[in-house]
Amino acid sequence: MIATFMLILAGPASAGELREPLMELLNAYEHGASAEDLTRLGDGVVAELLEIAADSGVPHSRRGRAVSALGHYPEPRVRSFLDAQLTGSDAFLQRKATGALAKAFRDDALPSLAPALEAEDAQLRLATVHAVGQLDSKAARDLLQARVRREKDDNVKSVLKSTLASMEAK
Amino acid sequence: MRAPVAALAVSAALIAIAAACEGAPDEVEVLDLGTVTLSDTGGYSGPIEVAMPSDTTSAVAWCGGYGDAALGAVWTLTDPGGAVVYDGDDGDTSRFRSDFLDDMAPALLPVSPKLPMADGAWSFDWFVGAGNGGSLDCGAVIRSGIGDDVGSDATINVEVVFVGVDLTAATAADDADWQSALDTFETEWGTAGLTVNVVYKDFGGNVDRFTVVDVTDDDYSEFNDLLRTADPDDPRSITFFVVEEIANNSDGGATILGLSAGPPGAATVPRTSKSGVIVSGVDLRDAPGDVGRIMAHEGGHFLGLYHTTEKDGSNHDPLDDTPRCTSDGDGDGILLASECAGSGSGNVMFWTFGDDNPSFSGDQGWVVRRNPVAY
Ligand SMILES: [Zn+2]
């Protein structure tokens, strides 16, 4: 209650003002930024996350955390940005985009995620399996089921099988 | 007050696997404390005694092997005089602390100058939750020979194992970015009086499986399995695995900068789920100093240090001289480094990156120099 009151007093922050507190959240050693943390920072978070995620002057891991944090915001501008990251050339940010897309857009993200399951990069396929595995839906299971028959990489195939098994158990 | 429910069948046998560290004035010995049976639905180990000789500096006692899905912690610690110095029921962590850990719960003495080592039999009672498989394997490592005559400097052997990153044991010594990371790591540890001896190794196992270590849905089995491969030539070492990434896909795929076993880690004990530290190498090329900072922070956890202040201010370490930040200036429930300037953000064990040149406190140095892995 006190925190809410003080936020109201402070008024909505503009995007630039949020760079420092957001970076401090993204700089945490062991944890990404939670939805609750981001909400506490007030308005303007999405715009600043988009800037941080695209800023090549920001260390890679923190850009990746900004991409992941965008998964808390199912907005059209976020969808466009994440789709662009997923089809971009940065393997790490591609992986982060898979998780954020699944988190933000649930089954609606499957058209974007399906091609990533066929990617040449085995780590991207793995990240996509984990991302799709978070979706508790028949469409998600069907997508992984179709891939598991074609997957040639032992490690990816093993994770596909265990992910499908845990989805079935839910 | 609960009653112990475990059937205790402990026979302490000295295995005396001395980690003969060249140049060390002391030694570490491994004690096999036997196997304890308990209910698979959860229970207590019952009192397990560890006899500390008069020249003991420190010890790590553990019960483990209860699986990655079960959680355990020391519930009661009794000193040689018979006084209960830690009781999980009252939650006072001002002198000793044992958080719930999966598979293996190491307990380090000392973790605070307020509870120094004393000779005689210390008694540990672990609680392990459901799904533990019905038995615990227990043991201890004792560092002895010099007692509390530790001094203000110590050396720690560090084994760095590269897993799926663009660095190898052959290239690390000449890689400017890696050396920059190492400089930062050594500078920060130097503020605790620690000097490091570094050796390199290329990972010999399934690189594809561990290049990105996945901890989705709080399933730490992949993390634990990589630590179970830690087997340094000199057991009196800390193994740092440098991987491409640590990812938590149940948190929207969020990346993790580093994770330590514990705290504390199973110092000098190889091939367990608590035998090292994993560091993300994703920033190696654009922010190598940050990789060094992560190593210093996670290595601090391994050596028995906790966050000086947690993100929400809910918890602090058991040390008196570490700064405790309480000033949430903007009232958002998050203790940011900018709000904790002068009261925590300058410490290596703050929850997030703070000042550019963080350091350890005197008490933190006191703890890490006494760890069994130090000499
Ligand atoms: Zn930490």
Side-chain angles (χ1 to χ4, degrees):
Chain A
M1 179 61 91
I2 292 170
T4 308
F5 177 66
M6 294 188 74
L7 275 175
I8 292 167
L9 277 183
S14 66
E17 290 170 15
L18 289 175
R19 173 63 72 112
E20 184 177 339
L22 260 177
M23 282 305 299
E24 292 185 29
L25 274 181
L26 300 176
N27 279 340
Y29 289 97
E30 288 101 4
H31 301 287
S34 69
E36 189 183 20
D37 293 339
L38 296 166
T39 301
R40 284 169 169 169
L41 293 185
D43 296 335
V45 167
V46 176
E48 192 62 51
L49 284 173
L50 287 166
E51 285 196 19
I52 292 170
D55 186 345
S56 60
V58 172
H60 232 66
S61 62
R62 273 46 69 83
R63 289 181 67 191
R65 279 183 167 175
V67 171
S68 300
L70 285 166
H72 297 300
Y73 300 95
E75 301 177 11
R77 58 180 167 164
V78 170
R79 179 62 183 263
S80 305
F81 181 83
L82 294 177
D83 279 341
Q85 296 302 313
L86 182 55
T87 54
S89 58
D90 186 310
F92 171 66
L93 296 181
Q94 281 183 296
R95 295 201 298 271
K96 298 304 94 185
T98 63
L101 278 164
K103 189 174 185 71
F105 302 101
R106 313 300 298 173
D107 277 10
D108 288 345
L110 290 175
S112 296
L113 294 169
L117 276 178
E118 313 292 329
E120 194 176 330
D121 177 0
Q123 293 299 341
L124 177 56
R125 298 204 301 281
L126 265 180
T128 310
V129 172
H130 285 302
V132 175
Q134 293 296 308
L135 304 175
D136 186 23
S137 71
K138 183 179 182 305
R141 282 195 298 275
D142 288 348
L143 184 63
L144 296 184
Q145 197 72 55
R147 178 64 205 176
V148 74
R149 296 187 202 102
R150 296 194 304 278
E151 182 58 56
K152 297 283 188 265
D153 182 285
D154 288 345
N155 188 42
V156 181
K157 199 176 186 83
S158 168
V159 173
L160 266 164
K161 286 178 180 172
S162 58
T163 300
L164 279 163
S166 64
M167 290 170 87
E168 291 296 335
K170 280 180 183 170
Chain B
M1 188 73 187
R2 47 120 199 106
V5 295
L8 184 60
V10 174
S11 60
L14 183 65
I15 301 180
I17 306 172
C21 200
E22 215 169 299
D26 53 5
E27 62 179 1
V28 294
E29 293 175 322
V30 181
L31 302 176
D32 180 358
L33 298 174
T35 299
V36 176
T37 58
L38 77 170
S39 166
D40 181 56
T41 57
Y44 295 89
S45 68
I48 296 178
E49 291 196 346
V50 182
M52 314 283 186
S54 60
D55 59 357
T56 299
T57 301
S58 61
V60 175
W62 68 86
C63 280
Y66 47 80
D68 296 338
L71 295 172
V74 171
W75 203 254
T76 312
L77 175 62
T78 308
D79 72 11
V84 174
V85 294
Y86 174 77
D87 180 348
D89 285 322
D90 72 26
D92 176 5
T93 56
S94 63
R95 295 191 293 169
F96 177 81
R97 182 166 161 179
S98 178
D99 297 346
F100 274 101
L101 300 173
D102 59 10
D103 185 55
M104 178 184 190
L108 172 66
L109 284 173
V111 292
S112 169
K114 288 178 288 181
L115 186 62
M117 185 53 72
D119 63 305
W122 290 74
S123 179
F124 298 78
D125 189 359
W126 277 267
F127 176 82
V128 183
N132 57 61
S135 70
L136 311 175
D137 297 321
C138 305
V141 160
I142 296 175
R143 176 184 177 190
S144 63
I146 60 169
D148 202 45
D149 188 18
V150 173
S152 57
D153 299 298
T155 300
I156 292 184
N157 296 330
V158 166
E159 179 195 62
V160 179
V161 179
F162 299 116
V163 188
V165 292
D166 63 341
L167 264 179
T168 68
T171 63
D174 295 321
D175 187 288
D177 290 331
W178 173 253
Q179 290 305 313
S180 174
L182 208 53
D183 282 349
T184 301
F185 170 50
E186 291 179 337
T187 298
E188 291 195 13
W189 270 29
T191 66
L194 298 179
T195 299
V196 298
N197 282 335
V198 181
V199 297
Y200 299 112
K201 204 182 267 184
D202 295 319
F203 185 60
N206 184 346
V207 173
D208 289 343
R209 181 179 176 211
F210 296 113
T211 293
V212 176
V213 174
D214 184 80
V215 295
T216 297
D217 293 331
D218 285 333
D219 176 359
Y220 283 81
S221 55
E222 205 163 287
F223 174 81
N224 289 346
D225 282 349
L226 182 54
L227 293 189
R228 288 180 179 109
T229 71
D231 194 13
D233 294 340
D234 183 345
R236 206 168 177 181
S237 305
I238 303 178
T239 299
F240 284 76
F241 294 93
V242 181
V243 301
E244 186 173 307
E245 196 203 338
I246 308 165
N248 179 356
N249 285 285
S250 44
D251 189 18
T255 202
I256 295 168
L257 305 187
L259 282 177
S260 169
T268 80
V269 186
R271 299 183 300 278
T272 79
S273 62
K274 301 291 173 282
S275 293
V277 170
I278 304 181
V279 171
S280 167
V282 76
D283 291 325
L284 185 64
R285 297 305 171 196
D286 55 0
D290 286 0
V291 176
R293 295 187 74 161
I294 298 162
M295 292 178 71
H297 178 94
E298 299 303 334
H301 282 315
F302 186 90
L303 293 168
L305 301 182
Y306 295 85
H307 289 164
T308 51
T309 297
E310 293 290 358
K311 180 170 67 179
D312 60 359
S314 61
N315 217 339
H316 301 278
D317 65 16
L319 303 173
D320 279 346
D321 75 339
T322 48
R324 295 187 171 197
C325 180
T326 55
S327 58
D328 182 14
D330 58 6
D332 64 2
I334 306 167
L335 293 168
L336 297 169
S338 50
E339 295 169 327
C340 300
S343 63
S345 65
N347 194 282
V348 177
M349 301 311 295
F350 194 61
W351 66 272
T352 185
F353 284 22
D355 300 359
D356 285 344
N357 298 296
S359 57
F360 290 101
S361 74
D363 281 357
Q364 287 172 323
W366 186 95
V367 171
V368 298
R369 291 192 301 275
R370 276 160 181 74
N371 190 286
V373 77
Y375 64 92

